[in-house]
Amino acid sequence: QVRLVESGGGLVQAGNSLRLSCAASGRTFSRLGLGWFRQAPGKEREFVAALRWGGESTVVADSVKGRFTINRDNAKNMVHLQMNNLKPEDTGVYYCAAILVFDIRTASRANAYGDWGQGTQVTVSS
């Protein structure tokens, strides 16, 4: 089991940036995958980005490609989501999630992840 704690959410104006962080503890090893999902009110949970804990593989949703970047800090057991040029449609609760074996074919599927954080709110005003 992997324990995940998100931080870094907040209220920003459109065009600004935020960096979300996810602190992971417990079972962390090279094949582990960590992903970010978001959920807006009344909408389904949506994939944002994911990476393989051991490196060499990342995937980013088309809706945020070019604006959002996912990276890891293995020394601190953290994964970050850098969000630039934020838009009102980026508003939602952002969740960090863990999958035991990262596979680029399943990385975007919420039901493939077994452990989830509590989420952090991101609100982008126009």
Side-chain angles (χ1 to χ4, degrees):
Q1 186 177 6
V2 181
R3 183 172 182 266
L4 304 166
V5 179
E6 304 97 333
S7 61
L11 171 64
V12 296
Q13 288 188 326
N16 285 350
S17 300
L18 273 178
R19 188 177 81 154
L20 304 183
S21 297
C22 174
S25 60
R27 298 183 63 190
T28 55
F29 47 90
S30 63
R31 293 190 302 166
L32 184 75
L34 288 176
W36 285 97
F37 290 78
R38 65 186 182 187
Q39 189 165 20
K43 294 188 177 180
E44 292 187 355
R45 195 162 294 191
E46 175 190 17
F47 171 73
V48 177
L51 57 69
R52 183 174 178 270
W53 185 252
E56 300 178 358
S57 187
T58 62
V59 58
V60 180
D62 288 342
S63 59
V64 302
K65 196 169 291 184
R67 299 189 297 122
F68 290 13
T69 303
I70 185 171
N71 57 69
R72 75 196 193 283
D73 182 343
N74 285 18
K76 296 182 179 179
N77 273 11
M78 298 188 76
V79 172
H80 303 290
L81 183 69
Q82 179 65 43
M83 307 186 294
N84 298 328
N85 191 22
L86 282 160
K87 303 176 181 181
E89 52 264 41
D90 294 318
T91 294
V93 179
Y94 282 68
Y95 297 92
C96 181
I99 183 171
L100 287 181
V101 180
F102 180 87
D103 186 331
I104 198 167
R105 296 168 295 181
T106 59
S108 63
R109 302 176 191 171
N111 60 8
Y113 291 76
D115 296 297
W116 292 80
Q118 83 289 348
T120 185
Q121 177 71 44
V122 172
T123 304
V124 184
S125 63
S126 57

